[in-house]
Amino acid sequence: MNKEKTNTGKLLEVKDLRVSFFTPAGEVKAVGGISYDLNYGEVMGIVGESGSGKSVEAYSIMGLLQSPGKVIGGSITCDGEDVISKSKEEMSDFRGKKVSMIFQNPMTCLNPVYTIGNQLVEALRAHNKTISKAEAEKKAMEMLELVGINNIEKRMKQYPHEFSGGMRQRVMIAMGLICSPKLLIADEPTTALDVTIQAQILELMKDIQRKTNMGIIFITHNLGVVAEICDKVSVMYAGKIVEQGTVEDIFYRPSHPYTHGLLSSMPRVDAESYERLVPIEGSPVDMLNPPDGCPFAPRCKQCMQVCLNKMPPYVELGGDHRSACWLRVKEQIDNKEEQTNE
Amino acid sequence: MNNDVLLEVQNLKKYFPVKGVKGPGVQAVENVSLFIKKGETLGIVGESGCGKTTLGRTILRLYEPTAGRIIYNGKVIFDGGESIPKLDKESGEPIVDKNGAPVMTTSKKIAVDMKPYRRKMQIIFQDPSASLDPRMTVGEIVGEAIDIHNLASSKAQRDEMIKGLLNEVGLNSEHANRFPHEFSGGQQQRVGIARALAVKPEFIVCDEPISALDVSIQSQIVNMLEDMQNELGLTYMFIAHDLSVVRHISNRIGVMYLGSLVELGESYELNRNPIHPYTKTLLSAVPVPDPQVSRARQRIVLEGDIPSPMNPPTGCRFHTRCPYAKEICREQTPVFKEYEKDHWAACHLLEGN
């Protein structure tokens, strides 16, 4: 599993990805042109509300988009391979070996009528036709040990309902890692869990990530979890990445009003005194009739005329930090004018 | 007893019998005693399955308690009828005999008709879409309580009340003719709150009212609940698993583990100075949205999972996962008592054992 230790280059490159759902009520642009890179050994958080397109984006990397959803533009390159042009057979080989995914609700992802051992072995043998059953079983037990499950011999013969929620999520992680993928997509893996169990799973994921040098995409709406595990963050709103940067950029130098809003609307457990929350007013965007300009404009307190008409371009803020907001564009123009005046 | 106490619960128990299993069944709430003062918010936190929702519903007698006592505004609304320490009528202190043992008395079984109390005690549910009847309009949902309790003398007055309620929770009066599915999650929760307010209650159990909502909507609802409390002088019991939200909204917080209260205290005090090991772990497990703070702090990670409430551990229920558990913790149930002013806990370690 340590083969990739030295590999530090680009693992995943997503360029101008567009995904639409063609529903009877009209086209829903679930993902409207997003771009980002992920290096080996990096953890990227994707933060957004429900309906912001964060899961759809992940499903398109996995090639798991279901009709009526369709990738309508852009490119996804993972470990040097173009993902979108792959055929169905190529895709199913690519999944598991190169990327794998863990889901929010482990109970619906495990088959209730097969034992855990059976399912782990099946996952491995589906991608590795030459491995013998005995070897596969040995490997499955190693994986269960890696994710911290005790009493492995007995656990292999048990069914999903005999596991608790946290234990099932560990099994899901073991299954996701059994083919040694280079990229792991975790779609809200701790949302359904209690905080003490969430803490266990986060520790486990950090540990495995250090050992394997995998790239991880961590999809969540919990900013606390992001602060804990991620190296960089993309904030999504209505199918667009509105701000991107390192965790420090996002938490200490947020530049988009939506990121600001998210941070100030959350109570903090370490706050010293009572402070009234500052909510983001209004409701999330209706994706069937998105606004013309910046999708956040109708809820933005600093909204200007231009925001309602045109989507803002990305403004580079140093390093990997960029945000799509007209306020930042205006600042840049003002700065340039000042410089020329001097 | 203090006059400013609105609701008091003594040794409340709720067991759910399980078919084909001998014994008490699922011991969802075990010996919980607490009080809530008028106008305050008492937060209840704990992991899923710790009995916090059952506690809320049992207090409202949506579930009939198995044993214990519920006293609302000085009136006993439920008494399971069992042996309890006799209290001095004037001081409210337990009477002790010559040897220092409390004098016991058996209380009379009481289970009052709840209908008049339903007007005073209301509940807001977790899942707004599941708690609104999809075949009723919002006006009918909010108006139903007004009809049941005959609060309006004419149809015009009833319509006026519904309009007023919808405006109060930030909806338009035209929304009265729409159905629940036409609203977003946050708006549905507003309807649920309007329904609870329709009978002008004094006490509301808020059972995870924001857990099902988007992050940006949660703070809207939290602020609205705070505003309503200030305007209408409501008393809340706020049940949630998110400690940061509970800490924000509550005056005092009770922490539950496997059906029992393990610690209860003023909310900032509880956060600064948790005395029960479970509260300490729970606090350290909550992620902080600040990369430097969250990476620097020491986290206590608990081993294992919550035991089954059908067959809870003997002694202290937390001892199977407690990093400090000793012999006595396995054998004796710790007593829930006041260790510092307004700061209760149940732990043998605090006894200096």
Side-chain angles (χ1 to χ4, degrees), chain A residues 49-50 164 194 196-198 200 224 227-228 230 251-252 265 268-269 271 273-277 279-280 282 299, chain B residues 47-48 214 216 219-220 223 226-227 244 247-248 268 271 287-292 294-295 299 301-302 304-305:
Chain A
E49 297 177 59
S50 44
S164 66
D194 281 313
T196 56
I197 309 296
Q198 167 173 285
Q200 290 176 1
E228 174 124 11
C230 298
F251 284 91
Y252 301 134
S265 68
R268 284 179 55 160
V269 75
S273 59
Y274 175 84
E275 268 172 47
R276 196 173 158 85
L277 302 177
I280 303 175
R299 300 175 77 184
Chain B
E47 297 177 86
S48 48
D214 265 321
S216 74
S219 46
Q220 294 178 4
N223 281 0
E226 287 177 351
D227 290 342
S244 32
R247 215 276 305 260
H248 174 81
Y268 285 91
N271 272 265
V288 182
D290 185 326
Q292 279 174 12
S294 79
R295 279 160 213 223
R299 156 174 289 175
V301 177
L302 284 184
D305 291 303

Side-chain angles (χ1 to χ4, degrees), chain A residues 16-89:
Chain A
D16 198 33
L17 180 71
R18 289 164 192 278
V19 183
S20 283
F21 284 78
F22 296 92
T23 68
E27 181 186 349
V28 176
K29 291 178 177 154
V31 175
I34 64 168
S35 308
Y36 61 85
D37 308 323
L38 182 75
N39 293 332
Y40 287 95
E42 245 179 3
V43 184
M44 184 174 87
I46 298 185
V47 197
E49 297 177 59
S50 44
S52 62
K54 52 193 196 305
S55 296
V56 171
E57 184 270 313
Y59 278 50
S60 38
I61 299 175
M62 290 289 288
L64 289 175
L65 270 185
Q66 298 237 329
S67 172
K70 231 181 143 185
V71 176
I72 55 165
S75 69
I76 302 171
T77 319
C78 180
D79 201 35
E81 291 178 58
D82 179 22
V83 177
I84 292 173
S85 64
K86 280 185 188 298
S87 69
K88 254 191 170 173
E89 289 74 33

Side-chain angles (χ1 to χ4, degrees), chain A residues 204-217:
Chain A
L204 171 72
M205 289 189 67
K206 275 196 262 183
D207 187 44
I208 289 174
Q209 196 260 345
R210 271 194 296 268
K211 280 185 198 155
T212 58
N213 201 36
M214 276 186 310
I216 299 181
I217 293 182

Side-chain angles (χ1 to χ4, degrees), chain A residues 93-228:
Chain A
D93 193 46
F94 173 77
R95 277 193 295 266
K97 272 190 191 164
K98 286 281 168 72
V99 280
S100 76
M101 189 159 176
I102 48 179
F103 297 88
Q104 178 172 354
N105 191 343
M107 194 59 203
T108 52
C109 300
L110 293 168
N111 191 331
V113 297
Y114 288 104
T115 62
I116 293 299
N118 211 323
Q119 296 186 53
L120 282 169
V121 167
E122 187 198 350
L124 186 58
R125 293 186 83 192
H127 295 286
N128 189 343
K129 303 276 187 290
T130 54
I131 196 164
S132 76
K133 206 169 171 210
E135 269 176 87
E137 260 170 21
K138 201 173 146 236
K139 178 92 201 218
M141 289 204 235
E142 274 171 32
M143 290 315 297
L144 287 181
E145 196 182 342
L146 180 74
V147 297
I149 287 178
N150 301 323
N151 228 339
I152 297 166
E153 301 243 333
K154 184 179 148 214
R155 285 302 209 173
M156 287 280 283
K157 294 190 191 97
Q158 284 184 327
Y159 292 88
H161 75 267
E162 296 173 84
F163 287 65
S164 66
M167 282 294 153
R168 271 181 226 139
Q169 195 55 286
R170 284 169 193 263
V171 172
M172 280 302 295
I173 294 175
M175 197 176 285
L177 297 178
I178 199 162
C179 297
S180 319
K182 299 197 162 114
L183 172 67
L184 180 71
I185 301 175
D187 188 2
E188 309 241 7
T190 60
T191 309
L193 306 174
D194 281 313
V195 276
T196 56
I197 309 296
Q198 167 173 285
Q200 290 176 1
I201 298 290
L202 288 180
E203 290 295 324
L204 171 72
M205 289 189 67
K206 275 196 262 183
D207 187 44
I208 289 174
Q209 196 260 345
R210 271 194 296 268
K211 280 185 198 155
T212 58
N213 201 36
M214 276 186 310
I216 299 181
I217 293 182
F218 204 102
I219 300 171
T220 179
H221 62 260
N222 188 333
L223 284 168
V225 173
V226 171
E228 174 124 11

Side-chain angles (χ1 to χ4, degrees), chain B residues 6-308:
Chain B
L6 181 67
L7 179 103
E8 197 184 349
V9 170
Q10 293 168 353
N11 303 86
L12 193 70
K13 287 182 193 174
K14 176 66 196 170
Y15 297 165
F16 293 100
V18 179
K19 265 188 193 163
V21 177
K22 276 186 190 167
V26 175
Q27 304 171 28
V29 173
E30 176 68 32
N31 251 341
V32 169
S33 301
L34 52 82
F35 62 86
I36 305 176
K37 291 183 222 158
K38 276 183 190 142
E40 83 164 345
T41 302
L42 176 75
I44 298 285
V45 282
E47 297 177 86
S48 48
C50 73
K52 53 191 192 301
T53 293
T54 310
L55 175 66
R57 293 188 178 186
T58 312
I59 286 177
L60 296 182
R61 283 185 63 206
L62 295 176
Y63 295 147
E64 201 58 17
T66 306
R69 261 177 153 206
I70 305 168
I71 304 162
Y72 184 80
N73 223 348
K75 302 223 167 54
V76 178
I77 59 173
F78 180 86
D79 197 320
E82 68 218 285
S83 137
I84 47 164
K86 196 172 181 178
L87 299 183
D88 189 277
K89 271 180 192 153
E90 275 158 31
S91 66
E93 296 292 317
I95 303 172
V96 289
D97 62 15
K98 279 175 243 154
N99 305 327
V103 178
M104 303 305 273
T105 169
T106 310
S107 59
K108 211 170 98 193
K109 272 196 181 185
I110 299 172
V112 298
D113 172 26
M114 282 302 283
K115 195 174 165 191
Y117 290 95
R118 296 271 176 247
R119 268 196 66 183
K120 298 182 176 151
M121 307 162 85
Q122 279 291 320
I123 183 166
I124 302 168
F125 294 98
Q126 172 172 10
D127 186 345
S129 60
S131 57
L132 302 175
D133 188 329
R135 296 186 301 176
M136 288 166 85
T137 63
V138 163
E140 286 166 353
I141 290 171
V142 177
E144 194 180 21
I146 299 178
D147 300 339
I148 289 172
H149 293 283
N150 292 323
L151 300 179
S153 51
S154 65
K155 182 158 188 314
Q157 196 196 352
R158 177 178 180 271
D159 290 347
E160 206 49 46
M161 285 172 82
I162 294 170
K163 263 187 206 169
L165 285 161
L166 291 180
N167 289 333
E168 204 167 328
V169 296
L171 297 170
N172 297 331
S173 20
E174 304 93 82
H175 287 150
N177 297 319
R178 296 204 202 158
F179 288 93
H181 75 266
E182 296 174 72
F183 294 94
S184 67
Q187 288 173 318
Q188 288 177 349
Q189 194 55 287
R190 288 170 193 266
V191 175
I193 294 172
R195 172 176 63 185
L197 290 180
V199 294
K200 301 197 175 67
E202 301 165 338
F203 173 65
I204 301 182
V205 173
C206 307
D207 186 6
E208 305 239 17
I210 61 164
S211 310
L213 306 178
D214 265 321
V215 201
S216 74
I217 306 297
Q218 289 187 351
S219 46
Q220 294 178 4
I221 300 290
V222 167
N223 281 0
M224 196 177 81
L225 287 170
E226 287 177 351
D227 290 342
M228 286 180 347
Q229 181 167 44
N230 293 337
E231 272 167 43
L232 308 169
L234 296 170
T235 305
Y236 292 141
M237 178 161 153
F238 194 94
I239 300 167
H241 64 268
D242 185 342
L243 242 173
S244 32
V245 173
V246 171
R247 215 276 305 260
H248 174 81
I249 198 167
S250 310
N251 302 99
R252 293 186 302 138
I253 298 177
V255 181
M256 281 184 82
Y257 183 79
L258 213 62
S260 301
L261 265 181
V262 295
E263 186 166 355
L264 193 147
E266 190 272 320
S267 68
Y268 285 91
E269 168 66 13
L270 191 88
N271 272 265
R272 262 194 304 269
N273 178 25
I275 53 180
H276 194 282
Y278 180 63
T279 316
K280 287 181 191 169
T281 16
L282 202 60
L283 276 171
S284 85
V286 179
V288 182
D290 185 326
Q292 279 174 12
V293 176
S294 79
R295 279 160 213 223
R297 68 189 180 144
Q298 264 314 24
R299 156 174 289 175
I300 315 165
V301 177
L302 284 184
E303 296 288 322
D305 291 303
I306 281 198
S308 159

